[in-house]
Amino acid sequence: MSTRRSGSLVALCLLGVSLIAATARPVAAAPRKGTEILWDKWGIPHISAADHPSLFYAYGYAQMEAHAELLLRLYAQARGRGAEIYGEQYLEADRWVRTNGIPMRAKAWAQEQSPEFGPLIVAFVAGLNGWAGEHQKDLSPAAKAVLPVAVEDVYAHCLRVIHYDWIVNPQKLASRLARAAQDVHGSNEWAIGPSYSASGKAMLLSNSHLEWGDMHTYFEVQLTAPGVTSYGAVWVGFPVLRQCFTEYVGWTQTTNNPSESDLYRLVPRDGGYVLDGQLKPFTTSTETIRIKGKDGAMREETLTVRQSIHGPVVAEQSGAPIAMRVAAIDRPRLFGQFWRMGLARNLAEWQNAMRMQQLPLFNTAYADRDGHIAYVYNATLPVHPTGDYRFWQGVVPGDRSDLISHTIVPYDEIPKVIDPPQGWVQNSNDMPWTSTYPMTLDSTKFAPGFAAPQGITQRAQRGIRILSGFTGKKMTFADVKAGKLSTHVETADQFVDDLVAAARGQGSERAKRAADVLAKWDRDANNDSVGMLLFYKFMLEARADFGGIGGFKVPTDDRQPLTTPRGFANPARAVAALDKVAGEMEAEYKTLAVPWGEALRFRRGTLDVPGNGAPSAMGAIRTVNASPFKDGKAQGIGGDTYFAVIEYSTPIHAEGLLSYGNWSKAGSPHVEDQMKLLSKKEMRPIWRDRKDVEANLEARKVF
């Protein structure tokens, strides 16, 4: 392609940004000649381009090649049109999207990008549509109905996933209104500094835990262009990387839970609401949702949306409207921040990108080739004038304007640890204070809304145990990898000895048989581990945190993660629970000695292989969450998703796995090919050098 034509591409992309408001459609463009996608034998695209717009075009094209049906269905839902195109099962999701104004917010976001970054999303969308134009025969009628993709669809998908699922979703909203516990997605992250590394080079463990499907599906990719050397993974439909390393820097993320969605109980009066003693009118709009029935017939539903100064009314409680205000929906450059993070060449540049504070949440661990490591409790926490975390996770008075926040806590005042003397940082969805052991951060010096007073997670305890076990020596790449693949169950170390002793001392003959199985168990959750199934069922009966059997004898102390909790407050109830599940197992399996991999299966596509790993609450770094049992078997449905170990050696040493596979396209071998390695507790080399990719090439696309 000529220089003139390349310049025309950029000009067209810039023109596309100015036309978004009027047309809501990107300007079509082709990538620069020579732009290339090399697909390796695991179905991972290695994309190279001579300029950034061409890179983004090819990135969109590659996502469609692997995930077209899924991506288009997710974009339809982000428009609030899932029920119209895919059926009534998406009606509640459409109501949520429309009530919160995601489509209109997305259009505003599309217009508020920087002149440098906005055209890149235009190019990404052009790549999505370019693939669709070439592969109409490969698309279902429903997927075709979503086309063409618009620029605002990308931003709407981001808002739906980040702000209206991760921060708050209908289930979390219902839990908060009921004052019930909320579920938090799990992940692990470690960064090891040169002082703790056998090679003298920094290392990073990236380990995301998500459901194995739908909006949480990950896509792994390598992106190469001038100034770009990124490798990592992100949710399907996103145009940037969330878990990422380059030749200079690397970062990974776990879910945190800052108080970033405020609920206000309004005082209704005369068709409006009261604020500071004054009557205020609602802003009211009407949405028409079309719903496709099973017979293909279409019906319509009218949704009336009321908006207060606080935000939309999302619920009613005891006759009072509940309005919701979500953080960072006025900060539209989230993708641009991720992009700048990937362009950073050192810690200072990376922190400058983080200071943009466009990304509203996620614990973030960092390592680089200069030997720096860091942990950042990333959040766009509203500056609240009063109240602690629990206050703001409830429903607060809506008739006081002083309770409506308009500013956030600046980056320099959020919890972070940089190059700690311990030589490592970790997070497994616990509070920021436990990122090092002994603790480095003092929670009293930070705003109270940063972290839920939830206590340290069992996975964090396991991680601290592994990482602190190398004091006096140093960790190798193999040590970090072994730690990542370890299925050892932390809660078993905390309680099995006491459970065995209590069962042998006061239990029935059946309970004593169960105690014998647990006493011989290696406390791992490997394919062949006998005793794991029994303990798993005991944990379900005890309700995971042992609240179902009376709680702990010694409760958890975050400052003593290696020695607490311990024991049962009511050993007799614990033994009774063990006796009950032992009876159920003997009735179903005819034995208590069932290998874990016979009961837990990894199934995807045509694959059905032994499973391993343990649910998050049991404290294994190898986390696998299981479905309910049916006919004596369960299957993995989430947990370890994309994980990688990276060492900033020369050259960089990296291994990883995307637990299920990099494609969702029906019939592709890459739907389940990596799950075979998951069953074997193996990782694969991450290929970044062209010669390695060429040696393992499956297909090539040259534009």
Side-chain angles (χ1 to χ4, degrees):
M1 180 179 291
S2 67
T3 303
R4 180 178 179 183
R5 188 177 176 192
S6 175
S8 297
L9 169 62
V10 177
L12 283 171
C13 289
L14 289 169
L15 177 61
V17 174
S18 67
L19 291 176
I20 288 169
T23 67
R25 292 292 180 266
V27 176
R32 189 170 177 177
K33 186 177 180 180
T35 300
E36 192 172 42
I37 306 173
L38 302 181
W39 295 93
D40 71 26
K41 67 181 184 180
W42 296 106
I44 298 164
H46 303 260
I47 304 172
S48 58
D51 57 49
H52 295 174
S54 297
L55 181 72
F56 274 71
Y57 183 102
Y59 186 19
Y61 191 100
Q63 282 209 26
M64 287 287 279
E65 177 69 25
H67 293 288
E69 292 287 337
L70 172 62
L71 185 150
L72 293 173
R73 175 166 54 82
L74 293 173
Y75 281 7
Q77 293 174 74
R79 292 176 185 170
R81 294 181 58 203
E84 175 185 344
I85 298 173
Y86 289 94
E88 191 159 3
Q89 67 268 34
Y90 295 109
L91 177 56
E92 285 301 322
D94 286 353
R95 289 171 179 158
W96 178 251
V97 166
R98 301 285 192 95
T99 297
N100 288 289
I102 291 176
M104 291 303 295
R105 178 71 61 176
K107 289 181 180 180
W109 273 30
Q111 297 176 57
E112 294 170 3
Q113 300 304 306
S114 70
E116 298 78 21
F117 185 76
L120 302 183
I121 304 303
V122 175
F124 177 79
V125 171
L128 299 175
N129 288 324
W131 184 93
E134 296 174 14
H135 297 84
Q136 286 288 301
K137 62 180 177 58
D138 298 328
L139 292 171
S140 67
K144 291 177 183 178
V146 182
L147 295 169
V149 175
V151 169
E152 60 262 30
D153 291 331
V154 185
Y155 296 108
H157 179 52
C158 173
L159 281 158
R160 178 173 178 252
V161 171
I162 299 290
H163 301 75
Y164 293 98
D165 185 73
W166 288 85
I167 293 179
V168 64
N169 58 39
Q171 293 72 37
K172 290 180 180 180
L173 174 63
S175 295
R176 286 175 60 184
L177 292 174
R179 304 294 290 184
Q182 297 181 45
D183 179 49
V184 177
H185 294 281
S187 299
N188 304 311
E189 60 185 22
W190 301 347
I192 294 91
S195 66
Y196 209 63
S197 167
S199 68
K201 304 296 183 181
M203 292 185 284
L204 183 69
L205 167 64
S206 176
N207 183 197
S208 188
H209 298 163
L210 297 168
E211 291 84 355
W212 290 346
D214 198 58
M215 71 167 68
H216 301 292
T217 303
Y218 257 12
F219 186 61
E220 185 175 354
V221 64
Q222 181 181 10
L223 303 174
T224 304
V228 183
T229 62
S230 296
Y231 192 106
V234 74
W235 299 290
V236 167
F238 276 58
V240 288
L241 294 180
R242 180 189 175 215
Q243 317 284 349
C244 178
F245 72 96
T246 75
E247 63 180 291
Y248 303 102
V249 305
W251 73 88
T252 183
Q253 297 179 326
T254 72
T255 311
N256 56 3
N257 196 22
S259 183
E260 292 193 326
S261 59
D262 299 338
L263 300 180
Y264 295 89
R265 180 180 290 103
L266 304 183
V267 177
R269 182 182 298 170
D270 299 332
Y273 62 97
V274 177
L275 185 68
D276 296 335
Q278 301 294 315
L279 180 64
K280 298 286 185 181
F282 287 107
T283 300
T284 303
S285 61
T286 301
E287 296 278 337
T288 300
I289 301 176
R290 304 186 74 210
I291 305 138
K292 184 171 73 174
K294 293 181 180 179
D295 60 356
M298 200 73 67
R299 74 178 198 274
E300 292 185 350
E301 174 185 292
T302 299
L303 176 70
T304 300
V305 180
R306 289 183 296 167
Q307 185 97 11
S308 71
I309 289 174
H310 317 74
V313 173
V314 293
E316 297 276 341
Q317 189 178 57
S318 301
I322 305 298
M324 183 171 72
R325 190 175 187 84
V326 177
I329 60 173
D330 60 344
R331 306 180 77 81
R333 298 185 177 182
L334 183 156
F335 291 147
Q337 177 177 331
F338 270 132
W339 179 241
R340 280 190 57 186
M341 289 162 66
L343 297 178
R345 296 194 171 209
N346 52 50
L347 177 60
E349 291 181 3
W350 186 82
Q351 286 209 90
N352 284 339
M354 293 289 284
R355 283 190 176 90
M356 292 174 66
Q357 288 191 282
Q358 302 292 300
L359 179 65
L361 72 174
F362 300 127
N363 299 289
T364 305
Y366 168 94
D368 66 28
R369 72 173 186 176
D370 295 331
H372 295 295
I373 62 170
Y375 161 80
V376 179
Y377 187 90
N378 180 69
T380 54
L381 182 72
V383 176
H384 290 134
T386 187
D388 59 10
Y389 185 94
R390 285 192 174 92
F391 176 82
W392 286 98
Q393 283 296 288
V395 183
V396 305
D399 58 350
R400 293 171 47 189
S401 63
D402 65 309
L403 294 181
I404 304 174
S405 175
H406 299 282
T407 59
I408 65 170
V409 177
Y411 176 78
D412 290 334
E413 296 178 18
I414 67 177
K416 64 180 71 65
V417 177
I418 298 174
D419 296 331
Q422 292 90 340
W424 55 266
V425 295
Q426 74 81 35
N427 186 272
S428 288
N429 309 108
D430 43 323
M431 297 179 293
W433 335 122
T434 54
S435 56
T436 57
Y437 177 73
M439 292 185 185
T440 302
L441 296 173
D442 180 353
S443 63
T444 65
K445 295 182 179 180
F446 298 92
F450 272 117
Q454 64 191 38
I456 192 169
T457 66
Q458 290 88 349
R459 284 179 293 105
Q461 291 177 299
R462 187 69 203 157
I464 289 171
R465 189 178 304 281
I466 292 171
L467 290 164
S468 62
F470 289 84
T471 301
K473 48 185 178 177
K474 298 185 178 183
M475 296 188 78
T476 65
F477 183 97
D479 292 328
V480 178
K481 180 179 173 181
K484 165 58 227 124
L485 295 175
S486 171
T487 66
H488 199 80
V489 177
E490 181 71 14
T491 51
D493 285 346
Q494 293 170 342
F495 300 108
V496 163
D497 288 342
D498 287 349
L499 184 59
V500 167
R504 285 173 170 171
Q506 56 185 279
S508 66
E509 289 303 312
R510 185 170 62 197
K512 290 176 181 177
R513 290 196 298 274
D516 290 342
V517 171
L518 292 178
K520 297 175 183 177
W521 175 37
D522 58 11
R523 302 184 186 180
D524 290 341
N526 292 326
N527 300 13
D528 59 355
S529 293
V530 173
M532 173 61 194
L533 179 62
L534 176 62
F535 189 64
Y536 174 76
K537 288 183 174 290
F538 168 77
M539 290 284 286
L540 290 179
E541 183 68 23
R543 292 205 294 273
D545 62 354
F546 299 110
I549 56 173
F552 306 126
K553 181 178 181 180
V554 179
T556 302
D557 181 345
D558 291 348
R559 295 188 176 276
Q560 300 182 62
L562 304 183
T563 56
T564 65
R566 284 292 185 272
F568 306 109
N570 191 326
R573 286 179 64 181
V575 172
L578 180 64
D579 184 72
K580 178 183 177 183
V581 298
E584 293 169 350
M585 277 190 64
E586 288 186 334
E588 182 166 17
Y589 299 98
K590 311 306 179 188
T591 178
L592 296 176
V594 180
W596 181 230
E598 289 186 11
L600 177 68
R601 308 299 295 178
F602 289 155
R603 295 170 178 162
R604 193 173 177 91
T606 60
L607 193 71
D608 185 350
V609 293
N612 55 70
S616 177
M618 295 182 72
I621 297 298
R622 158 70 113 228
T623 296
V624 172
N625 297 320
S627 70
F629 279 77
K630 182 179 180 181
D631 299 326
K633 298 183 187 298
Q635 66 184 64
I637 57 174
D640 272 5
T641 304
Y642 170 76
F643 55 95
V645 178
I646 301 106
E647 183 175 44
Y648 274 97
S649 52
T650 305
I652 292 174
H653 182 193
E655 297 183 27
L657 199 73
L658 180 51
S659 292
Y660 31 82
N662 207 36
W663 292 44
S664 60
K665 184 177 182 178
S668 168
H670 306 306
V671 169
E672 74 271 3
D673 54 354
Q674 296 186 55
M675 193 166 272
K676 298 173 185 177
L677 298 183
L678 189 72
S679 177
K680 297 176 182 178
K681 289 178 59 180
E682 295 179 359
M683 297 170 71
R684 52 171 177 74
I686 287 177
W687 298 309
R688 296 175 67 251
D689 293 341
R690 186 179 181 92
K691 62 178 178 58
D692 294 327
V693 176
E694 291 272 13
N696 294 277
L697 191 64
E698 180 176 89
R700 185 192 311 264
K701 169 68 178 178
V702 181
F703 294 91

